[in-house]
Amino acid sequence: MCGALARVEDGKVTRIDPNPAHPASRGAFCVKGVRGLAEVTYGPKRLLHPLRRVGERGSNRWEEVTWEVALDAIADGFSKARTTHGPLCLAGAVGGAFFSRGAIVALLLRAMGSPNFLINQDLCGGCRGVSDMVTGLAIQSGEDVEHANTVLIVGANPHAANPVQWTRIKEAKARGAKIVVLDPLRSEAAKIADLWLRPRPGTDAAIAMAMMQVLVEDGRQDSAFIENWTRGFDELAERIRGWTPERASEVSGVPADLIRAAARAYADGPSSFVSGHGIDAVTNGVQTFRAFHCLVAISGNLDRRGGNRRAKRPKGFKTYLDLLHDPAFQLPADVARETLGAGRFPLWAGPGGWQTACHNPTVIDAILTGEPYPVRALFVSGVNIAVTYPNSQRTIEALRSLDFLVVAAHSMNPTAALADIVLPKTTTLEEEDISINAHAPCITWTAALADRVGEARPDVEIAAGILARMAARGEADRTFLPWSTQREFNSFLTKDTGLDLDEIARVGYGEFAHTHGDFASQVFRTPSGKVELWSQRMADAGLDPLPDYVPTGASGASSERYPFTLQTGLREKTYHHSRFREQAWARKVSPDPLLKIHPQTAQGLGIVEGDWVRVETPDGRGACRLKASVTEATEPGIVATGMGWWLPEAEGPEYGALDININAALSYSGPYDPASGSADTRGVPCRIVVAAKAQPVV
Ligand SMILES: Nc1nc2c(c(=O)[nH]1)N[C@H]1C(S)=C(S)[C@@H](COP(=O)(O)OP(=O)(O)OC[C@H]3O[C@@H](n4cnc5c(=O)[nH]c(N)nc54)[C@H](O)[C@@H]3O)O[C@H]1N2
Ligand SMILES: Nc1nc2c(c(=O)[nH]1)N[C@H]1C(S)=C(S)[C@@H](COP(=O)(O)OP(=O)(O)OC[C@H]3O[C@@H](n4cnc5c(=O)[nH]c(N)nc54)[C@H](O)[C@@H]3O)O[C@H]1N2
Ligand SMILES: [Mo]
């Protein structure tokens, strides 16, 4: 999504620089773009040819095969499972519908008769996504920090996770905008904040409710917007009445005066709400986001300069998410309803769900138990789920027990190591992609700049190869995925726009006008056609139609045995999730998985900087080994780590995924957010034992 300029020599990208002209990133960039991508593409670990397993599953013995042989084997494997158990036994796994592979893999599965595809968004931005959908806001990535008077940053660490946004925030600070940060950790944003609120993990909704209470008590709500464009303000007003800053203070531990000050700073708009993973991927994530989303709406900051823009697009442009909901690409309703998890989480899984995907833990269960029906064959592309789903032990067990597993990847990893067939994927340097970049807003064009290394192929070509074979057997309907090349697919997405693809490809982006506040022409996609402070869709799903603070499922489980609180997912500049772990420069900068621990807590446990410790949680199957980093950035009793660790040089098939990966210490068995199905990946009780003392410094 960041504008880049690449030098191409003899079909090879030899240099990557930021593109200062790109309207979204304007020259901001990160080291992963400069180094990581090129090394993934040209590094020695790159998968060059399709591989077929020759030994036991996971024995890491492979033979190179041609694409013909690999695709025939995949068609055989899928067909066999499908004939024995029916089409629903096929599933796919991707990151989500933000990139082309998300839509391609979903449509590949639909073409073969299965609605089942897994996304990792329940662990990522899924709570935001569901709240955005049920309230009708549609403000993902539309933060207009540049023109904001106040920037409210909640549970986000843009310093590491979003350098482009971090640049804008520092510029805003420099021109005198107020920065208000909610974060239990002293993040880089907290360091530059005018107001830093330090809530107990998982209690932000209480603060949001109180901020609304103060706003309304001060009479600073946007009455015209509320009157014209929202539903349920009276019910919301009734709900927030009891949420005084004093009550929110009891819940969150943040002084009431500070909550009042934050509310008043936010009321001095325009104010931009910047949110992140810190309040997502937890069991109260949807309610927490709804509280903040309602704050954005009633304060008049929706789709206003300096506030939060709504997602827009050139007329006729189809996004990947549109495609998943497009009536032309739907399975019969009775089949779609069978999507795993749709019964329990209708706002998440199946046709009424945000991305129409499955509920992942329900799929893992189905693989291992055959209930509610068996899942026997899986196509994985662009995700490393053995590392990135909680309870790695169980994910690995499920992958091992499949009849057939195909993994498309760039290099061997703990997920691919368990496959029957591994397919070499093209990288971003070799692919052509077109997406809406809500940060600018503009269209971002990713050019296929380089010659493909080895025999790598993009998802659409892989899917077309599989479907041609399945269709020849009468086991697939190609109308779900009629494209064979990325250019065909991209032309389809843009054909009704009148956009000149060649011109966009030449420049690398295409800006389009954003009209603020066009509420009459771009309607809210809710049952009432208004912003639903009181949500009909939540009510229909049997859930609380109003936002509220509810404790997370994990918050009640702390005990003498598990006295500390574990935070996971802190981003590092060097890595993207589990990626780039094979790259020497990245490992040099970030050599070890760290556990941030307060000096007082460390002292109580006899831990010093550099000790290796083991972290365990009440419902986790195993432990995770981490290196202690003693720091006052965190509070006593709260420990924080990253995610995505494995070691390409360690022994396969796990490559360290059951040793230094935090998901080896977490459970994926619930409780879940009742709307998004998210499990708690933060705020989880834990205990810590010393595994190995640091070597004394001589
Ligand atoms: N370098 C790099 N950048 C990345 C990624 C990467 O892997 N590497 N991954 C990308 C992806 S997919 C994602 S989802 C984003 C994630 O990026 P962000 O959304 O910015 O999330 P994190 O970096 O995890 O930062 C979360 C912040 O929330 C805080 N936090 C934790 N619990 C709570 C809480 O209960 N309340 C509040 N208020 N704060 C809390 C943490 O202390 C932390 O400072 O990063 C993206 N960018
Ligand atoms: N405990 C805990 N677990 C977490 C998180 C956490 O904070 N805590 N974070 C969650 C979040 S926010 C996320 S987004 C997920 C990330 O989870 P994943 O998406 O599984 O993580 P990645 O490491 O990005 O996936 C790596 C795979 O993507 C492939 N890949 C990279 N680029 C491409 C591409 O362009 N095309 C294709 N086809 N493949 C590609 C690589 O080859 C590799 O196989 O993890 C989640 N898991
Ligand atoms: Mo994510």
Side-chain angles (χ1 to χ4, degrees):
M1 288 291 181
C2 303
L5 295 169
R7 177 182 296 160
V8 188
E9 291 169 294
D10 296 330
K12 192 175 164 179
V13 172
T14 54
R15 193 188 158 95
I16 299 174
D17 288 300
N19 179 1
H22 191 276
S25 57
R26 282 185 265 153
F29 217 56
C30 77
V31 60
K32 295 176 286 138
V34 173
R35 296 202 66 165
L37 185 54
E39 286 198 29
V40 165
T41 308
Y42 303 114
K45 295 275 186 183
R46 178 86 191 266
L47 288 168
L48 302 176
H49 307 283
L51 300 176
R52 181 163 64 184
R53 161 168 86 81
V54 287
E56 291 270 287
R57 190 186 290 284
S59 64
N60 217 4
R61 302 209 334 266
W62 310 93
E63 61 175 350
E64 280 180 19
V65 294
T66 63
W67 272 101
E68 292 298 303
V69 168
L71 291 169
D72 284 343
I74 294 169
D76 284 347
F78 285 175
S79 173
K80 197 169 157 204
R82 197 176 180 277
T83 311
T84 316
H85 303 284
L88 298 183
C89 84
L90 307 179
V94 288
F98 298 123
F99 297 93
S100 57
R101 60 186 175 276
I104 293 291
V105 170
L107 295 181
L108 166 68
L109 267 295
R110 285 184 194 174
M112 297 189 288
S114 172
N116 289 319
F117 74 107
L118 301 92
I119 57 177
N120 58 28
Q121 293 297 311
D122 61 318
L123 301 162
C124 177
C127 296
R128 255 163 287 186
V130 171
S131 173
D132 224 35
M133 175 179 85
V134 298
T135 57
L137 256 56
I139 55 171
Q140 288 210 19
S141 307
E143 302 96 352
D144 188 8
V145 170
E146 194 176 354
H147 302 106
N149 192 39
T150 300
V151 185
L152 172 65
I153 305 175
V154 186
N157 180 19
H159 169 74
N162 190 338
V164 172
Q165 189 166 66
W166 183 239
T167 307
R168 298 290 102 79
I169 289 169
K170 282 188 302 187
E171 287 164 1
K173 170 87 185 170
R175 71 173 158 73
K178 267 215 180 84
I179 312 289
V180 181
V181 171
L182 271 67
D183 199 312
L185 200 80
R186 183 153 49 85
S187 62
E188 294 304 308
K191 286 183 195 162
I192 66 161
D194 297 277
L195 297 171
W196 173 29
L197 286 67
R198 203 172 196 185
R200 294 189 186 104
T203 63
D204 297 79
I207 297 172
M209 297 300 281
M211 286 175 74
M212 283 196 276
Q213 194 269 348
V214 173
L215 191 95
V216 172
E217 195 180 67
D218 290 355
R220 301 193 65 183
Q221 72 274 26
D222 183 337
S223 300
F225 179 80
I226 291 169
E227 173 71 25
N228 293 325
W229 301 112
T230 68
R231 173 187 182 186
F233 180 72
D234 292 343
E235 290 89 338
L236 178 70
E238 182 62 35
R239 173 70 60 91
I240 58 181
R241 189 162 303 138
W243 275 108
T244 59
E246 283 69 25
R247 182 172 165 210
S249 174
E250 271 171 42
V251 171
S252 65
V254 176
D257 284 349
L258 203 49
I259 297 174
R260 265 196 195 90
R264 288 177 180 146
Y266 184 78
D268 281 333
S271 297
S272 191
F273 166 58
V274 173
S275 59
H277 200 216
I279 51 169
D280 214 305
V282 279
T283 47
N284 66 2
V286 173
Q287 281 299 63
T288 301
F289 263 100
R290 288 178 71 218
F292 283 105
H293 283 163
C294 287
L295 175 66
V296 170
I298 68 169
S299 62
N301 280 300
L302 182 62
D303 215 13
R304 162 193 192 185
R305 188 178 151 94
N308 290 74
R309 279 189 305 264
R310 295 192 297 157
K312 290 177 194 172
R313 64 191 69 161
K315 199 166 180 300
F317 190 99
K318 289 189 185 64
T319 67
Y320 306 121
L321 197 53
D322 293 337
L323 214 52
L324 294 179
H325 288 284
D326 189 329
F329 296 95
Q330 301 306 314
L331 287 165
D334 56 328
V335 180
R337 267 199 300 273
E338 296 289 321
T339 307
L340 285 163
R344 187 168 172 197
F345 304 107
L347 297 173
W348 178 261
W354 173 48
Q355 293 203 0
T356 73
C358 299
H359 180 240
N360 299 350
T362 305
V363 180
I364 304 278
D365 283 348
I367 295 173
L368 287 167
T369 67
E371 298 294 336
Y373 54 79
V375 171
R376 299 313 311 153
L378 187 64
F379 180 84
V380 178
S381 179
V383 278
N384 188 5
I385 63 177
V387 174
T388 53
Y389 288 0
N391 198 343
S392 302
Q393 294 84 350
R394 196 166 154 85
T395 307
I396 288 172
E397 223 170 85
L399 296 177
R400 277 187 178 279
S401 78
L402 286 166
D403 293 341
F404 196 70
L405 173 62
V406 185
V407 178
H410 301 116
S411 59
M412 193 50 75
N413 64 39
T415 306
L418 301 174
D420 295 279
I421 300 281
V422 179
L423 299 174
K425 287 241 353 110
T426 43
T427 74
T428 303
L429 298 182
E430 303 156 341
E431 294 183 348
E432 188 179 282
D433 219 70
I434 186 162
S435 333
I436 298 288
N437 186 333
H439 297 288
C442 68
I443 290 167
T444 292
W445 178 263
T446 308
L449 287 172
D451 294 344
R452 295 178 188 177
V453 173
E455 294 186 283
R457 290 187 184 178
D459 290 281
V460 65
E461 290 180 28
I462 297 173
I466 296 171
L467 278 187
R469 286 162 175 78
M470 293 298 282
R473 297 164 193 244
E475 297 191 68
D477 174 357
R478 282 217 66 175
T479 59
F480 282 94
L481 207 157
W483 320 282
S484 301
T485 65
Q486 292 191 309
R487 181 53 66 94
E488 278 174 29
F489 181 52
N490 293 333
S491 300
F492 171 81
L493 296 174
T494 53
K495 70 176 163 45
D496 300 330
T497 60
L499 290 171
D500 180 352
L501 275 197
D502 291 330
E503 175 59 13
I504 291 175
R506 194 183 65 76
V507 186
Y509 52 83
E511 281 184 275
F512 56 90
H514 181 99
T515 311
H516 285 115
D518 55 352
F519 306 124
S521 51
Q522 183 179 314
V523 296
F524 298 105
R525 291 200 205 172
T526 54
S528 63
K530 296 190 165 185
V531 168
E532 295 203 347
L533 309 169
W534 185 99
S535 162
Q536 186 67 55
R537 296 189 71 179
M538 289 288 281
D540 291 348
L543 302 170
D544 190 346
L546 289 168
D548 208 351
Y549 163 73
V550 283
T552 64
S555 62
S558 126
S559 66
E560 233 169 84
R561 238 170 105 69
Y562 297 94
F564 308 116
T565 300
L566 174 67
Q567 307 282 74
T568 80
L570 289 179
R571 266 51 184 169
E572 292 177 272
K573 287 190 166 183
T574 34
Y575 300 116
H576 199 79
H577 312 301
S578 76
R579 302 183 204 176
F580 312 140
R581 307 281 162 175
E582 76 287 1
Q583 301 190 9
W585 67 271
R587 290 284 287 281
K588 197 167 162 193
V589 178
S590 315
D592 298 304
L594 300 178
L595 185 71
K596 287 188 200 291
I597 180 166
H598 190 271
Q600 213 173 301
T601 311
Q603 199 181 19
L605 291 163
I607 291 169
V608 299
E609 179 81 16
D611 283 354
W612 283 90
V613 300
R614 247 199 312 275
V615 177
E616 291 170 18
T617 71
D619 298 322
R621 281 256 295 270
C624 172
R625 219 162 44 87
L626 300 163
K627 201 170 186 175
S629 161
V630 180
T631 164
E632 284 178 356
T634 188
E635 282 187 291
I638 300 180
V639 293
T641 187
M643 52 85 58
W645 274 94
W646 62 288
L647 296 170
E649 71 278 13
E651 201 180 328
E654 285 90 11
Y655 299 102
L658 298 181
D659 174 23
I660 56 166
N661 166 21
I662 194 60
N663 282 322
L666 292 179
S667 151
Y668 209 5
S669 304
Y672 302 114
D673 183 297
S676 69
S678 293
D680 281 312
T681 56
R682 253 165 292 96
V684 181
C686 73
R687 64 174 171 179
I688 299 160
V689 291
V690 178
K693 294 302 288 177
Q695 298 297 317
V697 183
V698 186

